[in-house]
Amino acid sequence: MKVGIIDDSSTLAESISRIFDLWFEKSGITNATAVYSLPNVDIEANITWIVNEDVCVLVLDEKLMVGQEGSVTYAGHELVERIRRRIPDMPIFILTGFSVEESLKNSESSIEYILSRNDFTDNAQERDKWISRIVRAGNRFFNSRQNLLSELTTLAKKIAQGTANSAESQRIAEIREQIGIAHWSESLTSKYGQVVELDELCNKADELANQITEILKKEGCDVELAKD
Amino acid sequence: MNEHFKVSSRLILNIGRNSIKDHTTALLELVKNSYDADARQVLIEINTKHTIPFISVTDNGIGMSHEDLTNNWLYIGYSEKRTNRVSPGGRRKTGEKGIGRMSADRLGAKLVLKTKSAGYPSVGVDICWDLFDVEDKHIENIELDMLSGNSADFSLLPESTTGTNLSITELRQTWRRCDIEELIQEISIFLPPFENVQEFSVSLKNDIDPSLNGLIQSPVLELAEIDMDVSLENGLVTYEFEDKISGETVKTPGQSIDWESLIQKVYSDSIFEGSHYDIDHLGKVKLRLLFYLRDSQNVLDSSVSLSDLRGFLNLNAGVKVYRDNVLVKPYGTKKPEGDWLGLAERKTRDPAGISRPSWRVAANQIVGATFIGRDSNPDLIDSGGREGLLNNDAFYALKTFVLGALILLENHRFERTNEQKVTLEEDEVDPKTAIEVLSTGLSSLRSDLNKVAKEIPRGKSRHFDKTIDKVAAIEQGIKKTTKLLEDLMNREQVLRGLATIGISSAVFGHEVQQPISEVKTAIIATREALLINPPKTDIAQSEVNKAIESATKIASWGVFALSRVQRDNRKKTKLNLKDNIEKILKQTKPFYAISNIEVIPDLHDVSTKVFALDIDSILLNLLTNSYHACLVKGGKRTIKVTLKPENRVKKGYVIVVSDTGHGVDQRFITNVWEPLFSTKVDNQGSKIGTGLGLYIVQSIVKEYDGEKAIDVDPELGGARFTIWLPIK
């Protein structure tokens, strides 16, 4: 289970991730860790990072000004909206500077929790509470993903064996949508389509080669066209 | 036998001498008689240097026949005016008491009257008033010399066939220049200044001050800034304006307001003396109001000097009442009771300046004439004494009408002035210069006055000395004002500097939030790393180092804020500006780094005598401005700061700050320098910004006689602020 941290201060992000790691160690949790990143200038690239890293819970700074290779113009809650389009059930925790900013209050995106930095830094008990909540949320997400993946594996086997019914095909589509994976059969179909086209082209090439050989023969040339 | 009263010859003299105030009034009475005689012109001659000094009054009125002369003019107390109220020419006659003719006695001991009426030969009478000044003689027993034939001939006025001439000799009083002036003024204010002046004109010929000769008229009437025509009839007030507020004559077409609404403008509760009066009973009243600004604007394109205008206004300002085109004293005159509308008190109660909505005209800014008539307004009646109207309900209604019209005029001016709102920024004279000009003017005035004082004979210079003392007192006042002004300007400078510190500290202080979080979080990580078993000292060490680094950023903000308030900043010293600017950039660098803003300096040596606080203020305000601009835009964030010598009208230098922001919207290019104007918004579009930074910059630039400009930086694409200042 990974805790993902996006913050425009790498100093801060590193410190927070270390706090998480130390907490995991202190609590005897061995299968969890924290990872961090600066916000990406390309908003979508952040989602790629989340997916690639298998982040299960996101801790996000509301004020994001500085990113990799430059400054970003979107705020935390705007990034959340984008993430929701791809991963609707990702648990997200937003950190704010002072009190909750107006912009955040008015945002329509569903954010699990909004906490101020002071909640995190000023009181050890508060911090413990928050870390627990974050880890729990991450675990919930992780477990649900694991369940979906094993279900997917079972269903995929059935499709490969040709024993899946329509309900089960439907279910695969649902899971696919939930976890954002394209249907394997679609990719196959498109590749198959490409093979058929290639076949037809080869046939046409053969025909042409035969026609050319005939013409040459008539002219008195005796050649054999190599067919590759 | 029936007895009858006998009249002493002296009596007629007493009547005349007691009721005519002075020789000016006496001459005015004779002019009035000419008016009543339908004269179109009157010529007054005052000749004191002739072998036989004389005053003559000649008119081209209807004149008198022998019968008119003997039966009417010689009939003391007879007033034709009581039977014939209107002259043949349609003029409502002036007086009723029939003793105006006695004013000749006031002027001189001898009177020769000659008159010519249409269809009759000239006739005349030769009177020596002193003959009447004897004891024990009945008036009937004093014989008068009648004139006829050639002895009654006299020069009629040009193009006239009728008229009367009075020739007065053995003058009883010397005529001085001031008397001539007073005469002219009396006559000019006697005549209604507005209507039909051509119908009745008075010319003067005198040898005391020939420069005053000619047609008596007031040339200043066209110089009014606002000319308002109002009339009241049947409970409805209609009015129109012609004004020159914008420099060109603008006519505002006729508007109207009903009587009830007008009352409310004057009295908020509509209650006043006379409020029960039925306004329809008043009859038709007309009013003309002329408003003057008592400054040079008024006389710009005319031959009238400002002092002439002021002189005329000093004498003639006030709202007069003319009944049948003849002045009703004391309304609108210089006597205390002349301010019948209470304009002075009204102004004192609310002395708001002319640009404020509650502004009121001052008593010396309005020349007004209310036109009423005996027939058209019968409810307005003479009071018991010779002057004024009875203070009845009708009179109060009249007063309300005039006050209401004044309020309409004041409102009109306020509205029109707001339409014409002209920014005087470039034309504004700075207070220091204005005071210098005033001081110089006053001191030269005082020396002129002193010169003149020497010419005045001893003992007579009392009033003059008072004037000189007054001027000296004003000069003292000016000195004190100058000191106050200097103090104010110093205070403004300090406040400006403090405001800049406040603004920049707030802006950069905001940035310090992040390092504070960093320090706190790093310390927590350190602690956790040390508390765990076994402790992770390498993590602890790394986190401690980060904490120190972040703490340094916080400290640098403290250094920045404190150094701004150093005492040396507030002294005018010769500085190498390059050093100053470098210092500021160094101090603010950490804040820009937090937001990933690169600051590129391009600084050259510039030495000048200046207040360091002022330069700091300019630079910091421009920097915080650019800082905000950069935040709103993504991508590469850069601020460029340039300092280099540049000579314009004088030797000088420029400070240029440009950024990679969005630039300044063309629409706001002039507004950005105004106080409290801010276009700053944050990422989410909410307004931030104090609106003071650029206002501070422009006020410093103005004080140094510098120049300011905004355009687009060709390289960075955002706003480029260029400030040029002269080298001192």
Side-chain angles (χ1 to χ4, degrees), chain B residues 451-560:
Chain B
K451 277 192 212 144
V452 175
K454 292 197 177 97
E455 312 268 321
I456 295 177
R458 272 177 182 267
K460 303 259 178 176
S461 63
R462 197 164 43 102
H463 290 297
F464 223 76
D465 290 339
K466 275 197 185 150
T467 309
I468 295 177
D469 287 340
K470 274 188 194 162
V471 172
I474 296 173
E475 276 182 295
Q476 277 300 102
I478 298 277
K479 281 201 182 97
K480 283 195 190 139
T481 310
T482 310
K483 176 83 182 47
L484 266 169
L485 180 68
E486 274 166 11
D487 287 343
L488 266 173
M489 285 175 76
N490 285 341
R491 213 187 319 162
E492 194 201 334
Q493 194 202 40
V494 172
L495 288 172
R496 243 179 359 210
L498 293 174
T500 304
I501 292 169
I503 294 168
S504 53
S505 296
V507 166
F508 296 132
H510 187 82
E511 284 308 290
V512 161
Q513 288 307 310
Q514 183 146 288
I516 290 173
S517 288
E518 286 169 2
V519 168
K520 278 188 189 173
T521 315
I523 289 172
I524 291 165
T526 306
R527 205 180 62 160
E528 294 301 311
L530 292 175
L531 282 177
I532 206 164
N533 202 2
K536 303 221 191 275
T537 50
D538 49 344
I539 291 180
Q541 202 159 13
S542 154
E543 288 296 312
V544 164
N545 288 340
K546 278 159 60 177
I548 293 171
E549 215 180 286
S550 298
T552 312
K553 283 186 201 163
I554 301 167
S556 69
W557 173 80
V559 168
F560 164 77

Side-chain angles (χ1 to χ4, degrees), chain A residues 7-16 18-19 21-23 25-26 61-67 69-75 77-78 97-98 102-103 117-118 120-122 124 127, chain B residues 510-511 513-514 517-522 524-530 532-534 536 538-539 542-543 546 549-550 553 593-596 627 631-637 683-684 686:
Chain A
D7 196 307
D8 67 339
S9 159
S10 54
T11 309
L12 205 42
E14 189 191 43
S15 303
I16 295 175
R18 279 173 173 170
I19 290 172
D21 284 339
L22 288 164
W23 193 91
E25 198 177 317
K26 195 171 67 177
D61 186 13
E62 167 61 10
K63 188 173 64 71
L64 299 168
M65 272 193 301
V66 181
E69 304 136 28
S71 316
V72 305
T73 49
Y74 54 85
H77 70 272
E78 290 171 271
F98 317 97
E102 276 308 304
S103 51
R117 288 190 192 280
N118 293 342
F120 208 75
T121 55
D122 289 356
R127 185 170 55 251
Chain B
H510 187 82
E511 284 308 290
Q513 288 307 310
Q514 183 146 288
S517 288
E518 286 169 2
V519 168
K520 278 188 189 173
T521 315
I524 291 165
T526 306
R527 205 180 62 160
E528 294 301 311
L530 292 175
I532 206 164
N533 202 2
K536 303 221 191 275
D538 49 344
I539 291 180
S542 154
E543 288 296 312
K546 278 159 60 177
E549 215 180 286
S550 298
K553 283 186 201 163
I594 294 171
S595 298
N596 204 25
Y627 165 80
L631 286 186
V632 186
K633 226 174 154 195
K636 190 154 184 350
R637 293 169 172 168
N683 283 47
Q684 279 69 50
S686 331

Side-chain angles (χ1 to χ4, degrees), chain B residues 626 629-630 633-634 636-639 658-663 716-719:
Chain B
S626 289
C630 284
K633 226 174 154 195
K636 190 154 184 350
R637 293 169 172 168
T638 314
I639 296 178
S658 19
D659 58 62
T660 49
H662 287 298
L716 302 179

